[in-house]
């Protein structure tokens, strides 16, 4: 299974998506910073499963209908930073779709995620990630789950890795940086958290019109019958949740 994630930089890279997926055929495409109102219903052989529409820095998920059946999608706001409260750059930061994989017959949960920018703290982003994992737990019913996107978490990832492991997730980085400040200063902003998947390869693709580089994941679903998966949850997402449930039509 091939999954791609790409931050479009305020919708700017949307025009290159068709050429991108033709060069790198995928089964699922997870996008960040796209304007849902202007997102196409189809990109090559990929069909739009769902998108967010409340502002221009939205999320979207596309899929191959000959590989998956899309069942339902949900979008969520997460804990807000001061930047979020003042400028409201992105209202919903998690979009997830439940699919039936037509090859294995299994239900899976796939999600596109966009954390608050670097003006927020890593602690705030970990709380957002914890809330996202809690929402996925409520929806997935133990099914294999993968969340990818722009985590805005380039440094000091040790606490995040431990948080993910406590929730039963693995964190995978790509084989090269995804965001370049200069030619010599670059970081991994875009990566994935997964549970119930065998992640075989994560590649950073070449730069296009965005300031982020897309990542391409090669992964396989682990058979649920052979798993003893822990409950998804996050000890660091403590306290009452401020998330708002919003089902995307």
């Amino acid at each position: 299974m091939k999954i791609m994630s790409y931050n479009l930089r305020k919708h700017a890279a949307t025009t290159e998506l068709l050429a991108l997926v033709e060069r790198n055929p995928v089964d699922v495409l997870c996008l960040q910073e796209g304007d849902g109102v202007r997102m196409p219903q189809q990109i090559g052989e990929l069909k739009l499963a769902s998108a967010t529409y409340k502002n221009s820095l939205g999320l979207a998920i596309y899929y191959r209908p000959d590989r998956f059946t899309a069942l339902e999608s949900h979008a969520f706001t997460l804990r807000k930073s001061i930047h979020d409260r003042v400028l409201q750059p992105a209202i919903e930061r998690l979009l997830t779709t439940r699919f039936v994989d037509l090859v294995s017959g299994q239900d899976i949960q796939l999600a596109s995620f966009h954390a608050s920018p670097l003006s927020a703290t890593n602690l705030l982003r970990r709380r957002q990630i914890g809330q996202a994992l809690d929402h996925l737990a409520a929806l997935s019913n133990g099914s294999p789950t993968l969340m990818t996107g722009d985590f805005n978490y380039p440094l000091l990832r040790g606490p995040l890795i431990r948080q993910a492991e406590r929730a039963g997730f693995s964190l995978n980085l790509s084989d090269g940086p995804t965001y370049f400040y200069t030619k010599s200063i670059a970081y991994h902003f875009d990566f994935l958290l997964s549970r119930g998947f065998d992640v075989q390869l994560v590649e950073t693709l070449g730069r296009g019109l965005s300031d982020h580089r897309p990542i391409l994941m090669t992964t396989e679903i682990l058979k649920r019958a052979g798993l003893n998966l822990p409950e998804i949850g996050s000890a660091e997402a403590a306290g009452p949740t401020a998330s708002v449930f919003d089902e995307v039509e």
Side-chain angles (χ1 to χ4, degrees):
M1 181 192 306
K2 298 280 189 178
I3 302 171
M4 185 184 295
S5 176
Y6 194 16
N7 181 315
L8 300 175
R9 192 184 187 182
K10 300 179 181 179
H11 203 76
T14 306
T15 56
E16 67 184 4
L17 288 175
L18 177 57
L20 182 62
V21 298
E22 286 178 345
R23 291 195 306 270
N24 305 277
V26 296
D27 300 299
V28 177
L29 175 64
C30 295
L31 301 174
Q32 305 87 43
E33 291 199 18
D35 185 348
V37 175
R38 294 188 287 158
M39 294 303 295
Q41 292 296 310
Q42 197 94 11
I43 301 175
E45 297 180 351
L46 300 176
K47 180 180 178 181
L48 180 65
S50 189
T52 60
Y53 300 95
K54 290 187 176 179
N55 64 7
S56 59
L57 298 184
L59 305 167
I61 298 176
Y62 289 82
Y63 70 102
R64 288 179 60 95
D66 61 348
R67 174 67 193 261
F68 298 104
T69 298
L71 299 180
E72 59 183 9
S73 295
H74 301 268
F76 299 93
T77 62
L78 302 174
R79 186 184 293 263
K80 294 182 179 180
S81 66
I82 294 175
H83 179 93
D84 294 332
R85 295 181 187 279
V86 174
L87 299 178
Q88 295 188 336
I91 296 174
E92 298 120 330
R93 292 195 173 275
L94 174 68
L95 176 67
T96 182
T97 299
R98 184 162 66 96
F99 294 100
V100 174
D101 175 35
L102 300 178
V103 173
S104 67
Q106 288 188 264
D107 286 7
I108 61 172
Q109 197 80 31
L110 301 179
S112 183
F113 173 77
H114 190 190
S116 289
L118 294 184
S119 56
T121 64
N122 278 350
L123 176 60
L124 184 281
R125 280 184 284 275
R126 288 200 301 275
R127 287 173 173 167
Q128 290 179 332
I129 293 165
Q131 288 180 325
L133 297 184
D134 286 344
H135 287 310
L136 294 174
L139 294 170
S140 68
N141 193 30
S143 298
T145 302
L146 187 149
M147 180 172 77
T148 186
D150 177 6
F151 285 76
N152 278 314
Y153 209 121
L155 297 170
L156 304 174
R157 279 188 292 268
L160 175 59
I161 292 171
R162 292 190 290 273
Q163 174 184 352
E165 289 175 345
R166 286 195 297 271
F169 278 77
S170 298
L171 187 154
N172 291 91
L173 301 179
S174 55
D175 58 4
T178 66
Y179 190 94
F180 285 72
Y181 285 103
T182 68
K183 290 183 178 180
S184 58
I185 302 176
Y187 300 99
H188 286 87
F189 276 54
D190 310 84
F191 46 88
L192 70 141
L193 295 173
S194 67
R195 173 181 183 270
F197 283 85
D198 175 19
V199 179
Q200 300 165 353
L201 180 65
V202 188
E203 304 169 82
T204 299
L205 303 180
R207 182 173 178 177
L209 297 175
S210 175
D211 51 352
H212 289 251
R213 299 192 180 194
I215 59 172
L216 178 61
M217 295 151 267
T218 302
T219 182
E220 294 296 334
I221 303 168
L222 297 175
K223 292 186 181 297
R224 186 188 300 181
L227 294 176
N228 183 18
L229 297 177
E231 290 296 320
I232 304 175
S234 172
E236 294 205 35
T241 177
S243 300
V244 176
F245 179 84
D246 178 22
E247 182 169 353
V248 179
E249 296 295 331

